[in-house]
Amino acid sequence: MSSSTETIRELAAQEYKWGFVTEVDEDRVPKGLNEEIVRLISTRKGEPEWLLAWRLNALRRWFQMEREAGAPAWANLKIAPIDYQEIVYYSAPKKRPALESLDQVDPEILKTYEKLGIPLEEQKRLAGVAPTQTPKIAIDAVFDSVSVATTFKDKLAEMGVIFCSFSEAVKNHPDLVKKYLGSVVPPTDNFYAALNAAVFTDGSFVYVPKGVRCPMELSTYFRINAAETGQFERTLIVADEGAVVSYLEGCTAPIRDTNQLHAAVVELVALDDAQIKYSTVQNWYPGDKEGRGGIYNFVTKRGKCAGRNAKISWTQVETGSAITWKYPSCILQGDNSVGEFYSVALTNNRQQADTGTKMIHIGKNTRSTIVSKGISAGHGQNTYRGQVKILPGAEGARNYTQCDSLLIGDQCGAHTFPYIDVRNPTAQMEHEASTSKIGEDQLFYLRQRGLKTEDAVSMIVNGFCKTVFKELPMEFAVEAQKLLGVSLEGSVG
Amino acid sequence: MKTGKAENRQGFFSGRDMGRAAIGKGSMEKTAMALLEIRDLHAAVDGHEILKGVNLTVNAGEVHSIMGPNGSGKSTLSSVLARRDTYEVTGGSVLFNGKNLLAMEPEEAACEGVFLAFQYPVEIPGIGNAYFLRSAVNAVRKYRGQDELDAMDFLPLYKERMKLLEMDEKFMNRSVNEGFSGGEKKRNEILQMAMLEPKLAILDEADSGLDIDALRIVSGGVNALRNPDRAFLVITHYQRLLNTIKPDFVHVLVDGKIARSGGPELALELEETGYGWAEAEQTQALSA
């Protein structure tokens, strides 16, 4: 066995850097899932009756699904059975701030976000910046089950942009929430979506009014802290006619030796001529080298181009989680609407990912682009699963799919499952796929030019992901590159 | 062919200028110590011995050509010197600048000044040539305790040397070797050599797959990089490359050993007689 193969193996050994626990008093509901728990969550959050009814309906459907079929088993994932009665469905930092000012947020939590490099203090961010200059990013921070802080709300409000926690939206903008909640991902959509609908706790809400181009990036940072707790957030973004918004999502969790569940739902709605760009850097705790612990990430993300010329673009960089089950999708209902999916998914050690997208073409001349880059190292298993569906009315629809896999070492796997369903003869489809291995040849070539093995691997992997990274907002792209480097460090010494 | 040669003499940058900029030290020790000293080198791949006791001394400023039939161990020798780990060294020693080369990782050898121009340069999709080469140059500079070059320092040098190798500036942002023709790949190797300024440049079948024009440019580039502080090991099956890159010494490698050594005239002799004699001697030796 040559030493560079061994070093490739070692690349998997990098430790998770965000694995600390914050000491903070928690207010949590008892373990378990039943009607009482759902009522308790709803009460804690001071929700209106209609939302409780919506939750309870979802819970009934979830129980039905669990009885009849159980959790979906079609994904290419090996998952130990999950006991849904052993999970805590609501946990909040006890000193619940009134959210009027950041001063009221538990300093421990502020410190946590600082450690993570997520600045929540507006003053600090603004220090030294000329008053006319617009800050680049507004952040909503979600800690376990609740949103603890949202920055730059006032600034955004001046332009009519609503950016707040989901709980606040329910209180302050009930009509909007009522109108769009569940309109893209109905509570009964799938097993995990139903679970989320029943017990979701917080998340972000965005509304960008007609003709407004949101002046800064909006961002939510999710942090799971409490043990035995699941995180079930729900995000809803609505871009009204001609509105443009770019939204970023990041996430981390402490190192724990038991698995934790994350089942989120994200719904996007783009009306006529609206554009939504949604970027994710997912870095939940992936478990240790032997596959102990780590987050189970079951996420339903879907966007609807409801109007003409609407555009929804998903970009994701998935490096964390023990299990990733996630298919950010687009329903291209409006004529001429555009859907995009750019993905980098990395599995190292014992991580498993089954991820991809669905592009449902309904309107005329709808177009979609899928670029998926899967990287497997260690014993990682990486699956691309994508569906392109052209319905009979989608005259002139077009899809381009490119799906590439990169293998590092000889213990990992890459799998591709494209589903193509075309019911209109005018549709144009293109599908390209490739699988390659980081070769000794490439590594040796770069090392012969003076680069260290780690830098060589990082360079090869970044080159492989380039078409996706260039879709990310600038600062995120730099982060993503670093993150890939870190996630692969040690897998090639 | 002849006009091509004349042109490259005119058209090229002066080797002396590049050489001075390139290394600027080391020539003092030249007389005291060989740049490369290979002693009784044995190497195997998958347990199969390919080099069977190679001896070779190369001084700074010299150009040595290693010739030999296919399978004689030419590429193995270059790979071992560049520290490729698919080859197992089973005996002997190699000193480079007085240091034990066989104890070095490939990147260390590179930083110490060993450059291998690959017979088949590798493609690195998604990574631009300029970015890649600047990373490499900076890795070497860092190793040598020099300041790293930022893009502003690097690009003018890079562009200048690209021009000298008759490469279009569009190359800068194309992915490393991706979609390059054979000639473009070889020129890119010489460009990298020009930027990395090695002490020992090993050219592994630099002429394979080249048409006359590309050959002219590649050998012109090599000639321009010749200087008193730099040595070349030109590995080639055919004599034609040696018409333009004139070696000081020619060695014939047969079955893992240097069977004959001589001056440039040896290459011409081989052109006429081929390698048959060497193989015949080998067979005789084996049967005896």
Side-chain angles (χ1 to χ4, degrees), chain A residues 113-365:
Chain A
Y113 284 94
E114 211 167 280
K115 263 197 215 172
L116 295 167
I118 313 296
L120 293 183
E121 296 179 50
E122 297 179 19
Q123 296 86 340
K124 274 191 190 161
R125 282 186 74 82
L126 282 172
V129 176
T132 48
Q133 213 170 320
T134 324
K136 281 189 194 139
I137 302 180
I139 295 165
D140 184 27
V142 176
F143 194 83
D144 288 335
S145 301
V146 295
S147 166
V148 291
T150 308
T151 61
F152 296 111
K153 264 195 288 194
D154 300 344
K155 179 106 195 143
L156 290 164
E158 284 169 23
M159 305 196 66
V161 176
I162 302 168
F163 178 43
C164 62
S165 71
F166 207 94
S167 314
E168 283 177 272
V170 170
K171 284 197 187 74
N172 302 332
H173 311 283
D175 294 344
L176 282 172
V177 175
K178 234 176 175 170
K179 184 170 174 188
Y180 292 109
L181 177 67
S183 69
V184 186
V185 180
T188 53
D189 188 79
N190 68 67
F191 186 80
Y192 301 109
L195 179 64
N196 175 285
V199 300
F200 79 91
T201 43
D202 218 331
S204 297
F205 176 82
V206 176
Y207 173 79
V208 186
K210 254 183 211 177
V212 171
R213 179 177 279 268
C214 188
M216 59 182 98
E217 305 271 357
L218 304 182
S219 174
T220 300
Y221 197 89
F222 295 101
R223 174 78 180 168
I224 297 178
N225 187 60
E228 302 174 299
T229 304
Q231 190 174 55
F232 306 91
E233 85 271 2
R234 197 160 182 114
T235 297
L236 174 57
I237 300 176
V238 181
D240 213 323
E241 289 173 21
V244 177
V245 61
S246 170
Y247 182 91
L248 320 171
E249 175 200 87
C251 26
T252 54
I255 294 174
R256 302 207 184 268
D257 56 10
T258 51
N259 296 109
Q260 282 181 285
L261 185 60
H262 173 254
V265 170
V266 175
E267 297 179 276
L268 312 182
V269 181
L271 302 182
D272 286 357
D273 303 303
Q275 292 182 27
I276 302 175
K277 184 176 177 61
Y278 193 107
S279 312
T280 304
V281 173
Q282 185 267 106
N283 186 27
W284 296 118
Y285 175 55
D288 68 10
K289 263 171 120 174
E290 277 74 44
R292 276 184 304 256
I295 302 289
Y296 284 179
N297 191 31
F298 300 109
V299 175
T300 305
K301 290 184 169 179
R302 196 176 301 152
K304 182 155 81 176
C305 287
R308 293 174 60 87
N309 309 317
K311 179 177 175 183
I312 289 178
S313 181
W314 298 99
T315 306
Q316 62 172 21
V317 176
E318 304 280 318
T319 59
S321 296
I323 305 271
T324 296
W325 179 99
K326 184 180 168 188
Y327 315 90
S329 303
C330 297
I331 299 170
L332 304 172
Q333 185 180 312
D335 291 347
N336 308 319
S337 60
V338 175
E340 295 175 339
F341 173 75
Y342 298 96
S343 170
V344 166
L346 181 149
T347 52
N348 198 351
N349 296 325
R350 303 276 171 178
Q351 282 177 277
Q352 306 175 61
D354 191 305
T355 185
T357 184
K358 288 192 271 187
M359 292 290 173
I360 313 294
H361 292 253
I362 301 171
K364 292 188 178 65
N365 301 314

Side-chain angles (χ1 to χ4, degrees), chain A residues 19-53:
Chain A
F20 59 88
V21 178
T22 307
E23 293 300 328
V24 58
D25 286 340
E26 295 158 5
D27 169 24
R28 46 158 75 190
V29 300
K31 274 183 191 175
L33 181 58
N34 52 52
E35 217 178 284
E36 207 177 311
I37 292 286
V38 171
R39 283 179 190 280
L40 201 53
I41 292 171
S42 192
T43 310
R44 290 278 162 101
K45 301 183 71 65
E47 285 176 358
E49 195 58 35
W50 67 265
L51 191 50
L52 175 63

Side-chain angles (χ1 to χ4, degrees), chain B:
Chain B
M1 192 72 190
K2 272 185 183 136
T3 44
K5 241 169 88 182
E7 269 168 26
N8 83 51
R9 284 289 176 206
Q10 286 169 357
F12 243 93
F13 47 99
S14 141
R16 223 165 250 140
D17 291 350
M18 284 213 63
R20 289 282 146 77
I23 292 190
K25 59 168 186 179
S27 57
M28 290 297 138
E29 297 120 311
K30 195 174 91 179
T31 45
M33 182 176 70
L35 179 66
L36 180 72
E37 189 122 29
I38 303 175
R39 289 286 164 263
D40 195 28
L41 181 64
H42 292 252
V45 64
D46 296 329
H48 180 68
E49 188 166 60
I50 296 178
L51 297 184
K52 301 173 180 172
V54 173
N55 291 291
L56 181 66
T57 302
V58 176
N59 292 305
E62 294 173 353
V63 175
H64 290 243
S65 173
I66 309 276
M67 301 184 71
N70 290 329
S72 58
K74 301 191 299 287
S75 285
T76 302
L77 179 62
S78 62
S79 293
V80 167
L81 294 178
R83 306 301 309 120
R84 184 160 202 160
D85 60 13
T86 39
Y87 297 87
E88 192 196 346
V89 174
T90 48
S93 67
V94 180
L95 288 181
F96 179 68
N97 238 354
K99 295 180 187 169
N100 178 7
L101 183 67
L102 299 179
M104 294 180 196
E105 293 291 318
E107 57 270 36
E108 279 179 273
C111 291
E112 287 286 341
V114 175
F115 181 92
L116 172 63
F118 284 66
Q119 181 177 6
Y120 303 109
V122 177
E123 300 184 1
I124 316 284
I127 295 298
N129 273 306
Y131 174 78
F132 157 66
L133 192 49
R134 186 159 69 88
S135 305
V137 166
N138 281 336
V140 172
R141 290 180 67 92
K142 203 171 157 190
Y143 182 90
R144 294 176 186 167
Q146 297 166 309
D147 288 340
E148 296 185 24
L149 298 179
D150 64 22
M152 290 301 129
D153 299 328
F154 175 81
L155 281 179
L157 285 173
Y158 185 56
K159 283 183 183 171
E160 176 200 315
R161 287 170 201 193
M162 245 183 344
K163 209 180 288 169
L164 296 165
L165 283 158
E166 300 178 29
M167 292 171 81
D168 196 293
E169 281 193 13
K170 283 182 203 135
F171 272 84
M172 285 197 314
N173 298 316
R174 279 174 63 184
S175 293
V176 179
N177 294 325
E178 199 183 29
F180 283 27
S181 70
E184 286 170 339
K185 283 184 182 173
K186 292 288 166 81
R187 271 189 276 169
N188 202 24
E189 294 292 288
I190 305 302
L191 175 64
Q192 291 175 23
M193 185 199 294
M195 292 299 293
L196 287 163
E197 303 176 341
K199 295 192 179 85
L200 173 68
I202 305 164
L203 311 179
D204 191 4
E205 306 281 3
D207 54 334
S208 67
L210 293 190
D211 61 23
I212 298 281
D213 275 342
L215 187 66
R216 169 181 64 79
I217 295 167
V218 164
S219 44
V222 171
N223 286 328
L225 290 166
R226 285 175 80 151
N227 78 45
D229 296 323
R230 178 172 297 141
F232 288 84
L233 216 49
V234 181
I235 291 171
T236 182
H237 184 84
Y238 300 104
Q239 193 270 340
R240 70 166 189 168
L241 183 65
L242 305 181
N243 287 333
T244 43
I245 302 174
K246 292 260 192 283
D248 301 305
F249 303 95
V250 174
H251 311 276
V252 187
L253 194 64
V254 181
D255 193 31
K257 277 183 172 176
I258 289 181
R260 279 182 73 183
S261 294
E265 71 288 346
L266 180 55
L268 293 168
E269 187 189 322
L270 285 173
E271 174 95 321
E272 280 175 23
T273 59
Y275 294 110
W277 59 270
E279 276 154 354
E281 274 178 20
Q282 205 65 38
T283 331
Q284 274 173 16
L286 281 175
S287 55

Side-chain angles (χ1 to χ4, degrees), chain A residues 2-5 440-453 458-460 462-464 466 481 493, chain B residues 82 84-85 105-107 110-111 114-116 118 122-123 125-127 131-132 135-136 139-140 177 189 192 196:
Chain A
S2 68
S3 72
S4 57
T5 310
E440 303 258 341
D441 281 358
Q442 282 179 320
L443 274 181
F444 177 64
Y445 188 73
L446 296 180
R447 292 176 76 194
Q448 210 300 307
R449 297 302 183 249
L451 297 172
K452 293 194 177 113
T453 312
S458 179
M459 187 177 272
I460 294 166
N462 277 312
F464 175 75
K466 191 184 174 193
Q481 285 195 22
Chain B
R84 184 160 202 160
D85 60 13
E105 293 291 318
E107 57 270 36
C111 291
V114 175
F115 181 92
L116 172 63
F118 284 66
V122 177
E123 300 184 1
I127 295 298
Y131 174 78
F132 157 66
S135 305
V140 172
N177 294 325
E189 294 292 288
Q192 291 175 23
L196 287 163

